[in-house]
Amino acid sequence: MSLQQAKPPLPSDDKRWKLVNATMRRNGYADHALIETLHSVQDAFGFLDEGSLRFVAASLDLPLSKVFGVATFYHLFTLKPKGRHACVVCTGTACYIKGAGGLVERLQERYDINPGETTEDDRLSLLTARCVGACGLAPAIVIDGDVLGKLDSESLIAKLEELT
Amino acid sequence: MNLDDLADLAEQYRAIDANVEREVRVCMAASCQSSGAAPVLDALVAGLGESQPACKVKGVGCMGLCSAGPLVSIAHRDGSLEESTIYRDVTADDAADIIASLDGPPVERLRCPTDQPFFARQQKIVLENAGIIDPDSFKGYVAVGGYSALIRALSEMTPADVLREVTDSGLRGRGGGGYPTGLKWSTVAKMPATQKYVICNADEGDPGAFMDRAILESDPHRVIEGMAIAAYAIGANKAYVYVRAEYPLAVERLQTAIRKAKRSGFLGNKIGDTQFSLEVEIRLGAGAFVCGEETALMASIEGLRGQPRPRPPYPAESGLWGYPTLINNVETFANIAPIVREGGEWFASIGTERSKGTKVFALAGTITNTGLIEVPMGTSLRDIIEVIGGGIPGGKAFKAVQTGGPSGGCIPAQHLDIAVDYDSLKTLGTMMGSGGMIVMDETSSMVDVARYFMEFCMTESCGKCVPCRTGTQQMHSILDRLAKSQASRAELALLEELCEVVQATSLCGLGQTAPNPVLSTMRYFRDEYEAKLGDA
Ligand SMILES: Cc1cc2nc3c(=O)[nH]c(=O)nc-3n(C[C@H](O)[C@H](O)[C@H](O)COP(=O)(O)O)c2cc1C
Ligand code: SF4
Ligand code: FES
Ligand code: FES
């Protein structure tokens, strides 16, 4: 049993750190709460930067290398900030058969970014996912968390243009 | 609590709705919500208001024909609240017409004929409550007999009795491999340990599969009940559900269900006033396909990188934190309550000689009826695709159906008459997998499909062992050159050789099965590979 050790101070007085701390506390600061904690950092801040990884490592008493290793292993975690809007194109098999590849190409062309990148004005990030479980609506697109189905590239771009 | 108390409780909950003559059910599972089910539900609630107390509007789970959503069904008391009418592609503007028609003939223009094979040919065990009960309602689940299997097991059966029923049922794991569930449970039950765990694998990493998602979103208590029965049978008091983070609605409904089950005494301490206790916790995946593999999944729960380790030792012996662990798929657990309720023999009477019960399949790709179906094991592929699935739209010809995800393969038209079960699909060089079926028409290129799956395995390889890490990369680059008509005959031969090496020497199922889509497309569509040779 490890002794109760002093917890590191919050990286800033941003209220969102309280949420992160709550997740760790709920799990008794156990090392196996790492993934849950990273989820909560990403939910709160949108991405994981070095400062937050250091803070989590110190709080859970884990080597930074391990925290970094876990954060980079899982596709859902991102170390780069995202744009104001996120457009996730499902590239699972059903969506692939129904033309998801063409949608990605068209978006790459239109916004001059590759999957995983964000436009220069920070407005839009283009991402891909492996099956969002709405295969009946293939090709499926997730815009800012909302799943939309059966879109062609023109109506998709029209929707993206409406975002501010 | 004994069975009589629970029966009384169910009666009480049914009595709440005793005056309801009609139910208007709106599918609020993920797919229909994406098509706009929420405004439909709101419009129906607003339109009916308090004016018709005998008519109840409620949100329910998946009705199956997801591609035609939002779906709305109307159920009448005289048919014991069985649905008599299903409406498809409903919008909020249709609410008024639907309400107006409640006392008369149905709205023809929205109607989805329920006598069509898609509905008529199914047999529902796992999905018996899907589309009927409100997944967020604990009372709704108890009213249809929920938790009676758990209470029955706790009050009238020993763990050995439960193991016997599950073994007699012949149920095999629905997560892909088809390992006998009774045998797995018995192995864990035999382990002498003070601490044991139950894990529900809800990672559902196969692209094109959404059975587990639909089950969790439609009937979450059913899965929890199955897990609790399992925990009782093997002697565990702690359970985890590992759900992929891409399924937020499933996670939410599961959370609600766990909270309500606990508050009502069906989880937590001394369940049903017995000595049995169980805590269930949710763990979120973070987007790694390999985490569906059982040893990787356990590493992920422990907060580590999700990398598989060699088996044996199997989780049954040494699993989570080194303790004996039972890990089963969502659909496997969803089959447990009916088995305990109706008996193992009943379940064994459904299906084929070596694959018992029903199977839920997700139909996707170029097929008329996209969605979820449940049919007895042994139903022919032709029935599933042409009759229930409605065939290929747009006058195109069927080319192949892909089963088993990245671990499976493609089945061509000449084998459509095969009866689908674990073993028959293996003879065709593919597998059942978790139940995703992706239908492809004549316009699909099989070399492209093989390349697609290899790209998937390459990116999802955890990188721990060399054959899988570099083998999938090599295979992908050859397939890519093939698809672009740049590869030579020698490279094609190398590809075949690589398939064998990667299959034989990879550490876990991901690498071992990664060559399957290539091998199976080569087996049935060799001419397409030949036609793509650069030096042909
Ligand atoms: C690469 C890989 C991915 C897997 N993904 C899943 C999955 O998403 N869901 C699942 O239930 N089983 C998956 N499995 C199978 C599990 O390892 C395990 O066999 C299964 O959960 C056992 O449950 P069952 O006996 O009820 O089928 C996967 C296996 C491999 C090798
Ligand atoms: S076969 Fe692939 S996924 Fe499995 S352990 Fe090896 S590298 Fe990782
Ligand atoms: S493959 Fe795209 S939602 Fe399933
Ligand atoms: S999600 Fe509504 S029918 Fe499947």
Side-chain angles (χ1 to χ4, degrees):
Chain A
M1 285 285 113
S2 65
L3 292 173
Q4 190 63 34
Q5 60 174 59
K7 294 296 164 210
L10 301 183
S12 70
D13 53 15
D14 192 317
K15 284 205 178 60
R16 289 175 288 184
W17 290 114
K18 296 231 163 79
L19 294 172
V20 176
N21 248 355
T23 302
M24 295 193 284
R25 197 175 333 108
R26 197 170 54 244
N27 287 287
Y29 292 93
D31 52 5
H32 57 78
L34 176 55
I35 294 171
E36 302 293 293
T37 310
L38 294 180
H39 270 302
S40 120
V41 174
Q42 186 154 312
D43 283 349
F45 295 94
F47 70 112
L48 311 168
D49 65 0
E50 195 188 316
S52 60
L53 293 182
R54 282 186 189 281
F55 170 67
V56 170
S59 304
L60 298 180
D61 200 13
L62 288 166
L64 181 62
S65 60
K66 189 183 159 191
V67 173
F68 196 77
V70 168
T72 50
F73 180 83
Y74 294 95
H75 305 308
L76 231 57
F77 295 136
T78 160
L79 307 188
K80 282 187 292 191
K82 279 191 227 129
R84 289 199 301 284
H85 300 286
C87 171
V88 186
V89 181
C90 175
T91 53
T93 325
C95 293
Y96 165 79
I97 297 287
K98 291 278 186 96
L103 288 184
V104 176
E105 263 171 42
R106 188 70 187 87
L107 292 180
Q108 277 174 305
E109 234 171 66
R110 171 68 184 76
Y111 294 103
D112 199 20
I113 44 172
N114 293 316
E117 292 177 354
T118 303
T119 52
E120 259 177 33
D121 61 1
D122 257 356
R123 200 175 76 89
L124 183 70
S125 298
L126 173 60
L127 305 161
T128 54
R130 298 293 196 193
C131 191
V132 294
C135 320
L137 304 178
I141 313 285
V142 190
I143 300 178
D144 294 340
D146 291 332
V147 181
L148 304 172
K150 303 183 191 164
L151 287 181
D152 60 28
S153 54
E154 293 326 304
S155 48
L156 171 57
I157 287 177
K159 284 226 184 293
L160 293 174
E161 291 298 301
E162 282 168 21
L163 304 172
T164 50
Chain B
M1 167 161 329
N2 59 29
L3 273 175
D4 291 338
D5 300 338
L6 183 61
D8 287 347
L9 194 64
E11 192 47 54
Q12 247 177 55
Y13 290 158
R14 277 195 293 271
I16 301 174
D17 284 336
N19 66 333
V20 171
E21 291 299 326
R22 270 184 222 93
E23 276 189 1
V24 180
R25 299 168 179 160
V26 184
C27 172
M28 290 291 279
S31 197
C32 282
Q33 283 208 28
S34 305
S35 318
V40 173
L41 181 68
D42 291 346
L44 284 166
V45 171
L48 277 165
E50 304 291 302
S51 63
Q52 296 203 42
C55 183
K56 179 176 175 177
V57 184
K58 73 180 189 190
V60 295
C62 182
M63 299 179 189
L65 196 56
C66 311
S67 58
L71 294 183
V72 173
S73 74
I74 316 285
H76 293 271
R77 165 75 62 197
D78 50 1
S80 71
L81 284 180
E82 298 233 347
E83 68 220 22
S84 46
T85 311
I86 296 185
Y87 294 127
R88 55 180 294 163
D89 299 305
V90 181
T91 66
D93 296 339
D94 297 322
D97 285 354
I98 293 178
I99 294 169
S101 75
L102 281 174
D103 290 316
V107 191
E108 274 316 319
R109 78 188 150 81
L110 297 172
R111 210 157 155 201
C112 184
T114 40
D115 56 358
Q116 75 181 42
F118 183 86
F119 296 100
R121 288 288 299 276
Q122 298 196 44
Q123 179 177 1
K124 298 198 172 182
I125 296 175
V126 168
L127 297 175
E128 62 187 351
N129 296 329
I132 294 174
I133 64 167
D134 173 356
D136 279 331
S137 166
F138 169 78
K139 291 180 182 169
Y141 183 65
V142 170
V144 294
Y147 287 113
S148 61
L150 174 63
I151 294 302
R152 171 127 176 239
L154 294 181
S155 61
E156 294 178 356
M157 296 164 84
T158 64
D161 292 336
V162 178
L163 292 175
R164 193 169 333 103
E165 291 300 336
V166 174
T167 306
D168 287 350
S169 74
L171 174 66
R172 295 170 68 175
R174 303 296 196 231
Y179 190 79
T181 306
L183 192 57
K184 196 188 264 187
W185 287 27
S186 307
T187 313
V188 190
K190 273 195 219 109
M191 295 298 298
T194 45
Q195 179 69 59
K196 292 179 187 177
Y197 293 103
V198 168
I199 298 177
C200 172
N201 188 342
D203 196 50
E204 190 152 73
D206 277 11
F210 47 100
M211 299 80 44
D212 295 348
R213 172 175 200 159
I215 294 168
L216 290 170
E217 286 176 354
S218 304
D219 201 3
H221 282 286
R222 158 71 72 105
V223 179
I224 296 171
E225 184 173 4
M227 291 175 70
I229 294 170
Y232 172 69
I234 65 154
N237 60 13
K238 174 94 203 186
Y240 290 93
V241 191
Y242 187 87
V243 200
R244 61 197 315 229
E246 290 89 336
Y247 287 178
L249 185 62
V251 172
E252 209 181 289
R253 292 200 173 148
L254 203 48
Q255 266 162 350
T256 305
I258 292 173
R259 199 181 63 239
K260 291 189 177 176
K262 194 166 172 174
R263 204 175 49 204
S264 317
F266 292 94
L267 285 180
N269 273 332
K270 306 215 159 160
I271 296 172
D273 305 317
T274 65
Q275 290 308 308
F276 174 66
S277 301
L278 181 69
E279 289 300 328
V280 180
E281 228 181 280
I282 297 178
R283 284 299 165 107
L284 287 188
F289 171 66
V290 72
C291 284
E293 197 276 341
E294 51 194 29
T295 60
L297 186 150
M298 293 185 302
S300 185
I301 292 183
E302 292 173 14
L304 307 169
R305 297 163 63 119
Q307 288 184 308
R309 58 156 179 79
R311 298 172 311 169
Y314 286 90
E317 247 173 276
S318 171
L320 203 54
W321 290 295
Y323 294 103
T325 302
L326 172 76
I327 174 161
N328 275 131
N329 166 264
V330 172
E331 192 183 328
T332 311
F333 282 123
N335 270 304
I336 298 301
I339 288 175
V340 170
R341 191 182 65 211
E342 314 277 344
E345 227 168 274
W346 161 80
F347 192 82
S349 70
I350 304 162
T352 65
E353 181 62 31
R354 300 197 48 221
S355 300
K356 302 300 187 188
T358 56
K359 178 79 194 83
V360 182
F361 291 105
L363 294 180
T366 38
I367 184 158
T368 305
N369 299 329
T370 320
L372 215 61
I373 59 159
E374 182 174 357
V375 291
M377 291 278 190
T379 305
S380 81
L381 258 185
R382 189 180 300 283
D383 267 2
I384 292 177
I385 291 165
E386 290 180 359
V387 181
I388 301 174
I392 316 290
K396 297 250 172 39
F398 169 87
K399 182 162 192 182
V401 54
Q402 211 278 344
T403 71
S407 316
C410 294
I411 302 172
Q414 73 254 35
H415 289 302
L416 272 183
D417 287 309
I418 194 146
V420 177
D421 68 17
Y422 288 101
D423 311 297
S424 65
L425 291 185
K426 276 199 193 129
T427 64
L428 294 183
T430 180
M431 56 188 276
M432 174 100 76
S434 52
M437 286 193 177
I438 314 244
V439 180
M440 292 176 265
D441 67 15
E442 55 193 328
T443 61
S444 289
S445 151
M446 291 296 127
V447 178
D448 283 354
V449 169
R451 176 180 61 173
Y452 170 82
F453 280 109
M454 198 48 70
E455 200 247 349
F456 182 92
C457 292
M458 175 180 76
T459 8
E460 297 296 332
S461 166
C462 83
K464 185 166 175 169
C465 56
V466 180
C468 168
R469 184 177 65 225
T470 55
T472 51
Q473 251 162 14
Q474 289 301 322
M475 290 196 281
H476 178 257
S477 89
I478 298 178
L479 284 163
D480 192 45
R481 286 169 50 75
L482 260 171
K484 293 175 178 150
S485 295
Q486 292 168 348
S488 65
R489 187 166 294 279
E491 282 176 281
L492 186 58
L494 179 64
L495 178 64
E496 293 193 75
E497 208 174 310
L498 274 169
C499 284
E500 281 174 36
V501 174
V502 172
Q503 215 168 29
T505 57
S506 289
L507 172 62
C508 86
L510 192 152
Q512 287 158 6
T513 59
N516 288 1
V518 184
L519 290 169
S520 92
T521 45
M522 271 197 198
R523 175 167 167 188
Y524 298 117
F525 303 96
R526 180 95 196 175
D527 52 326
E528 288 190 34
Y529 281 83
E530 300 278 342
K532 290 264 186 184
L533 285 177
D535 54 3

